[in-house]
Amino acid sequence: MLSKLVKYDIKSLIRVFIPVWIVAPVIAVMLSATIHLLSVADGPLMNVFSEYIGPILLGILAVLFVAVIVGMMIMTLILVIRRFWNGLLKEEGYLAFTLPVEVWQLIVSKVIVAAIVNLISGLIAALSCLILFLGISKEIFYSMGYTFSVIWRSMTGELGAYTGVLIVLGILFLIVTSICGIYMLYASMSLGQLMEGHRVAGSFLAYIGLNMAVSTITNIGTMIVTNILPDNLVNITAGNAGLIITLYMLIMLVINGIQVAVYHVITEYVLTNKLNLE
């Protein structure tokens, strides 16, 4: 049933996002082409373009590009919040909670879809920026490729056998961090429902409170671990950058995983026992 919930949610969200996901790279291509034409303008017609039409078109496309990229990020955040707020905490929640599914499935489906939409929006934004850079100068790509090769050689030389492990851990860390951020929003909105008549303000305060609590607990935990860390482990990791980074990534994954579990428990508890739909 969870797969059906995910499929339904993602279909409804993608219908909204597809136009933006298409428009962003299209505008990037047009802006890139305009920049390229202005840089190679030659001949009477091209001179007219470079002097009159080109600069105006360039300004319009540049404003549109920034507006679309920023708008896509804001739109992603707003719809991620709105789908949870309206779908489970408002009147639509009556329909959702009548479905033959567990509360945890309703929550997890929202999180999965939100994470997928975040990922796609991020990739579209990155692709659009790469297209734009191509129009500005091909040298940027050559520089990026050279820089990447230098960094890669440095990583493989410094990290050795840990390189592949760290790449996998890095990808997992990005995914888990994204899910953790979404869960924090959902837990905050759920806690905000406990403040009758001030649910939006309650959600905002809960979000600030959760951030402060996580920061405080993380700092305290870091100090405790640092003080109790065995001396022999310090000696083993000394000078071994690959092992140090691997241990750090694993610790961060565990911390984020614990946060996800706590946020889920909070959200499910409120939705199961304390929710008063408007």
Side-chain angles (χ1 to χ4, degrees):
M1 192 62 185
L2 177 61
S3 60
K4 293 182 179 179
L5 289 172
V6 171
K7 188 181 297 184
Y8 170 78
D9 281 337
I10 201 167
K11 280 183 179 179
S12 61
L13 267 182
I14 283 182
R15 279 199 297 266
V16 177
F17 277 96
I18 280 180
V20 182
W21 288 340
I22 294 175
V23 167
V26 168
I27 293 178
V29 170
M30 295 173 64
L31 181 56
S32 177
T34 302
I35 294 172
H36 178 70
L37 287 174
L38 287 172
S39 65
V40 298
D42 188 22
L45 290 177
M46 292 305 297
N47 287 336
V48 171
F49 175 81
S50 63
E51 290 182 14
Y52 301 102
I53 302 174
I56 296 174
L57 183 60
L58 179 65
I60 293 173
L61 289 174
V63 171
L64 284 175
F65 180 76
V66 173
V68 168
I69 296 299
V70 174
M72 180 169 61
M73 297 297 103
I74 295 174
M75 180 180 172
T76 301
L77 177 61
I78 290 175
L79 285 182
V80 164
I81 293 173
R82 186 177 178 182
R83 290 290 296 179
F84 184 83
W85 185 275
N86 290 341
L88 296 180
L89 305 179
K90 300 283 283 185
E91 293 89 344
E92 294 179 22
Y94 284 112
L95 176 61
F97 289 111
T98 59
L99 297 173
V101 296
E102 300 291 335
V103 174
W104 71 266
Q105 292 177 311
L106 294 172
I107 299 169
V108 171
S109 69
K110 300 292 184 187
V111 172
I112 291 174
V113 174
I116 291 173
V117 170
N118 278 341
L119 175 62
I120 296 176
S121 294
L123 291 175
I124 294 294
L127 174 63
S128 301
C129 290
L130 285 175
I131 293 172
L132 176 59
F133 291 151
L134 179 62
I136 295 174
S137 173
K138 291 183 180 179
E139 296 300 325
I140 293 179
F141 275 92
Y142 299 144
S143 298
M144 291 173 61
Y146 176 76
T147 303
F148 178 79
S149 64
V150 170
I151 293 174
W152 178 257
R153 286 196 299 269
S154 176
M155 284 178 57
T156 53
E158 185 74 20
L159 304 178
Y162 292 97
T163 303
V165 175
L166 287 174
I167 291 174
V168 174
L169 289 177
I171 295 172
L172 286 175
F173 179 72
L174 290 175
I175 295 172
V176 174
T177 301
S178 175
I179 292 174
C180 187
I182 294 167
Y183 254 119
M184 178 180 281
L185 285 172
Y186 290 173
S188 302
M189 286 187 281
S190 299
L191 289 172
Q193 304 306 299
L194 302 179
M195 293 182 63
E196 293 290 342
H198 304 282
R199 296 182 177 183
V200 175
S203 300
F204 182 71
L205 291 174
Y207 185 78
I208 295 175
L210 287 175
N211 270 293
M212 292 176 63
V214 169
S215 178
T216 302
I217 293 171
T218 301
N219 290 333
I220 294 173
T222 301
M223 289 188 293
I224 293 174
V225 171
T226 302
N227 289 328
I228 66 174
L229 199 65
D231 292 336
N232 58 341
L233 182 59
V234 174
N235 294 330
I236 292 173
T237 57
N240 193 334
L243 181 56
I244 292 172
I245 299 174
T246 299
L247 289 174
Y248 174 79
M249 293 294 292
L250 287 172
I251 291 171
M252 293 305 297
L253 279 171
V254 170
I255 290 173
N256 279 275
I258 293 172
Q259 289 183 58
V260 167
V262 171
Y263 297 148
H264 180 90
V265 169
I266 291 172
T267 306
E268 185 173 353
Y269 175 78
V270 174
L271 264 58
T272 303
N273 301 291
K274 301 293 183 179
L275 185 60
N276 181 19
L277 295 175
E278 296 181 352

